[in-house]
């Protein structure tokens, strides 16, 4: 019962940077160089127009240009793929889908992010998202993924690209497997418990948000017209 995602500055900015970066990589892959920044900027602008959200476009341009200067020289983009769609059936989990931003020719999986602060290297080494991508690619291709990582545009006073690429370890994969197993059990439990319900309710995931700030732009929060009963409220009842 997914609701449409409400565009916010944070989400639209990230999507615009993603689109611009993808356009940069496609040029690099095709020509061995980035030949026209206008193509990348245009791709980013289309996202902002689509979402109709106020975003400082100069900040988006800065991120894309910095990607060309700081990230492009560090990796081999020949024969890489962008926005690859993984759609497979995994025994015990059922249908699995994923969309890693970048897969390099050597199998390295990279995801592009924007964030208000840099990622913790130890947390990345145990990332469920990256571990899940590695597991899914192994099922899809029959090949082990050796490296995964994040390319993060950190939006601080002096923004920069944080590049965290880590080896895929059995510990990372085990953590991803256990987490996916848990979500699978929860999904099955919810389906069984809601089988005869007129209105499905949430049985399995009964905890609130990790921190109150997540409610502000959540499409399920009452303040945004959503049905959530666990949203954090202040003393005046405002979400």
């Amino acid at each position: 019962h997914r609701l449409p995602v409400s565009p916010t500055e944070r989400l639209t900015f990230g999507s615009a940077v993603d689109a611009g970066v993808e356009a940069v990589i496609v040029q690099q892959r095709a020509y061995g160089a980035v030949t026209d920044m206008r193509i990348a900027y245009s791709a980013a602008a289309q996202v902002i127009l689509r979402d109709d959200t106020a975003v400082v476009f100069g900040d988006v341009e800065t991120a894309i240009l910095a990607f060309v200067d700081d990230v492009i020289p560090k990796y081999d983009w020949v024969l890489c793929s962008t926005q690859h769609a993984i759609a497979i059936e995994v025994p015990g989990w059922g249908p699995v889908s994923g969309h890693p931003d970048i897969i390099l020719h050597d199998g390295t999986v990279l995801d592009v992010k924007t964030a208000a602060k840099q990622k913790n290297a130890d947390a990345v080494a145990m990332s469920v998202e990256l571990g899940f991508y590695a597991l899914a690619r192994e099922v899809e291709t029959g090949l082990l993924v050796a490296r995964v990582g994040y390319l993060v545009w950190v939006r601080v006073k002096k923004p920069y690209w944080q590049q965290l690429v880590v080896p895929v370890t059995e510990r990372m994969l085990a953590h991803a497997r256990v987490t996916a197993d848990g979500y699978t059990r929860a999904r099955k439990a919810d389906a069984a418990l809601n089988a005869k319900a007129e209105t499905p309710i949430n049985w399995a995931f009964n905890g609130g948000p990790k921190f109150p700030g997540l409610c502000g732009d959540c499409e399920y929060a009452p303040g945004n017209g959503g049905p959530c009963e666990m949203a954090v409220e202040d003393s005046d009842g405002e979400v």
Side-chain angles (χ1 to χ4, degrees):
H1 299 278
R2 292 294 301 270
L3 295 177
V5 174
S6 302
T8 63
E9 192 280 340
R10 177 175 60 85
L11 292 175
T12 299
F13 180 90
S15 296
V17 171
D18 275 355
V21 162
E22 182 179 7
V24 163
I25 293 171
V26 168
Q27 291 186 71
Q28 178 74 26
R29 181 181 63 201
Y31 309 118
V34 180
T35 61
D36 193 344
M37 290 300 295
R38 292 173 298 178
I39 296 174
Y41 295 153
S42 176
Q46 289 301 313
V47 171
I48 297 171
L49 288 172
R50 178 199 68 195
D51 289 356
D52 192 22
T53 303
V55 172
V56 178
F57 192 68
D59 292 346
V60 176
E61 290 178 315
T62 298
I64 298 170
L65 186 58
F67 189 89
V68 174
D69 293 338
D70 301 335
V71 181
I72 285 294
K74 301 287 182 63
Y75 305 92
D76 181 2
W77 305 101
V78 174
L79 297 178
C80 76
S81 62
T82 58
Q83 298 301 323
H84 175 72
I86 300 172
I88 54 176
E89 188 85 15
V90 177
W93 293 349
V96 167
S97 64
H99 296 82
D101 290 330
I102 304 162
I103 302 177
L104 300 179
H105 181 54
D106 67 1
T108 299
V109 176
L110 301 173
D111 225 37
V112 178
K113 303 287 188 184
T114 59
K117 61 180 181 180
Q118 69 176 15
K119 285 189 175 291
N120 178 280
D122 291 336
V124 171
M126 290 295 288
S127 167
V128 171
E129 180 182 38
L130 295 179
F132 191 78
Y133 282 152
L135 289 170
R137 281 289 287 173
E138 181 181 346
V139 174
E140 182 184 42
T141 66
L143 301 174
L144 296 176
V145 175
R147 298 192 308 163
V148 292
Y150 289 121
L151 306 175
V152 187
W153 179 247
V154 185
R155 301 180 70 183
V156 290
K157 187 174 182 179
K158 292 183 177 181
Y160 63 96
W161 281 101
Q162 181 189 26
Q163 302 175 52
L164 281 175
V165 181
V166 299
V168 175
T169 64
E170 184 52 44
R171 188 162 174 254
M172 172 191 277
L173 296 179
H175 185 51
R177 286 192 198 97
V178 169
T179 304
D181 287 343
Y183 276 107
T184 301
R185 289 193 299 270
R187 178 171 52 81
K188 291 178 179 178
D190 262 352
L193 292 166
N194 282 313
K196 296 182 179 180
E198 284 188 27
T199 303
I201 61 174
N202 179 9
W203 291 91
F205 298 106
N206 53 10
K210 292 181 180 178
F211 52 87
L214 290 175
C215 293
D217 57 10
C218 176
E219 59 269 28
Y220 293 91
N224 298 323
C228 180
E229 298 177 349
M230 297 185 294
V232 179
E233 300 180 1
D234 61 22
S235 58
D236 297 322
E238 296 292 328
V239 175

